[in-house]
Amino acid sequence: MRTLREIPALREALGDARRRGDRIALVPTMGNLHEGHLALVEAARERAEVVIATIFVNPMQFGAGEDLDAYPRTLEEDQARLEAAGCDLLFAPDVTTLYARPLEAQTRIVVPEVTEGLCGASRPGHFDGVSTIVGMLFNLVQPDLACFGEKDYQQLAVIRRMVADLHFPIEIVGVPIVRAEDGLALSSRNGYLSPEERATAPRLHRTLCELRDALEADGDIEATLAAGTRRLEEAGFVPDYLELRAADLGPVTPTTREAVLLAAARLGTTRLIDNLTLTLPR
Ligand code: PAF
């Protein structure tokens, strides 16, 4: 696997692949890779001849007071994992390679509507940073397809909307959440948890499973969500949101069948997110 740090080298390497007529799959990441990221590489591998991963801790998607400086940077381990997973190219640019101007002067992609509420409410500007960097990577790599984890459900919806609105000729592949044996969704931020918090963390997924079962059995939505919030608080979480939305993130209406439960909650200083899809009864 070759690691490329500069845009001209990236363009040259991809030019070779394109001339061969290879399908190119992109796996954008911020590094500190775990099994969830490797599942993205595997999904990419199954669908394309050339797999390119990117590692870029994108400052534009971190708000003031968030963990930009503390975010784990583990390039060497990541390179070894990507290589073992069958990745062909890694693009790992410096911040100034992608953002030539100060961030506030930088052109942005803003996706409306689907960014409202949920993580968009508690992390203002976060999704502008995500859509801008993903749009930039799409422009640089021009992949045939790109793989994203379903754990970041709203992010995936934002990227799908951007691709539709801006007519990027790129297939977006959503890859199911990879969980630890106890149900905790894998995340680079799980490394921030103390041993006690790590023991509590799977309660988030367990609570979502209990709520799903209640809702699929025709439980009252408001009462079920209120009970879920209480259960999370009793377990030691500070819930940010716990919501039921239609699968496309629109509001739930009497005709909604395919829906998704979404939660974000803090455990100490660590913010965890998770989601679970479900089918509402008629
Ligand atoms: O999900 C992530 O790791 C990031 O938000 C992404 C998509 C790589 C953009 O920086």
Side-chain angles (χ1 to χ4, degrees):
M1 183 187 75
R2 285 172 65 199
T3 298
L4 310 164
R5 316 277 304 187
E6 303 293 338
I7 292 170
L10 171 73
R11 290 212 164 109
E12 201 187 309
L14 291 169
D16 292 345
R18 236 171 253 118
R19 275 187 292 279
R20 288 195 301 270
D22 288 347
R23 263 170 81 76
I24 298 171
L26 172 67
V27 179
T29 82
M30 297 205 301
N32 193 234
L33 305 180
H34 49 65
E35 293 301 318
H37 296 109
L38 301 182
L40 304 181
V41 174
E42 196 180 320
R45 190 67 293 155
E46 283 164 9
R47 291 168 173 81
E49 284 81 35
V50 174
V51 176
I52 170 162
T54 63
I55 294 182
F56 182 67
V57 182
N58 172 32
M60 198 190 274
Q61 69 187 72
F62 287 77
E66 289 190 351
D67 56 344
L68 173 62
D69 293 333
Y71 200 85
R73 286 148 171 98
T74 52
L75 184 62
E76 274 182 30
E77 292 95 313
D78 292 346
Q79 282 169 314
R81 296 193 128 193
L82 287 170
E83 175 127 44
C87 186
D88 301 293
L89 294 170
L90 169 63
F91 181 51
D94 287 336
V95 171
T96 49
T97 301
L98 294 193
Y99 295 127
R101 293 169 216 293
L103 287 186
E104 58 283 4
Q106 178 72 41
T107 300
R108 278 157 205 258
I109 298 176
V110 178
V111 179
E113 293 177 348
V114 74
T115 49
E116 285 161 19
L118 304 169
C119 289
S122 45
R123 303 187 69 191
H126 167 68
F127 287 118
D128 299 349
V130 170
S131 46
T132 300
I133 192 65
V134 172
M136 191 189 294
L137 292 171
F138 284 177
N139 194 33
L140 288 169
V141 174
Q142 304 191 2
D144 297 281
L145 63 107
C147 299
F148 296 89
E150 288 176 351
K151 182 173 78 71
D152 297 287
Y153 195 96
Q154 191 177 16
Q155 168 173 284
L156 184 54
V158 169
I159 291 165
R160 286 192 196 283
R161 178 68 66 85
M162 173 183 75
V163 162
D165 285 357
L166 299 184
H167 305 283
F168 280 109
I170 299 173
E171 179 195 350
I172 301 302
V173 178
V175 177
I177 298 176
V178 179
R179 298 183 181 280
E181 257 178 40
D182 58 13
L184 178 66
L186 297 192
S187 162
S188 300
R189 291 191 167 101
N190 293 350
Y192 299 151
L193 297 168
S194 70
E196 297 74 37
E197 290 164 349
R198 176 62 188 81
T200 304
R203 297 284 290 270
L204 181 59
H205 175 58
R206 232 176 297 148
T207 304
L208 290 182
C209 291
E210 290 161 8
L211 302 186
R212 174 201 54 199
D213 295 347
L215 291 167
E216 288 193 334
D218 214 6
D220 176 78
I221 294 176
E222 222 173 290
T224 304
L225 293 177
T229 302
R230 267 198 314 278
R231 252 174 261 169
L232 289 175
E233 285 169 347
E234 281 160 15
F237 290 91
V238 179
D240 180 359
Y241 60 78
L242 174 60
E243 285 193 36
L244 181 70
R245 296 270 190 112
D248 65 0
L249 290 184
V252 172
T253 68
T255 59
T256 302
R257 293 293 157 262
E258 298 315 313
V260 57
L261 270 164
L262 304 117
R266 264 174 215 288
L267 206 45
T269 53
T270 309
R271 186 172 181 276
L272 301 175
I273 60 171
D274 204 346
N275 67 79
L276 209 53
T277 53
L278 65 142
T279 306
L280 293 170
R282 283 178 197 286

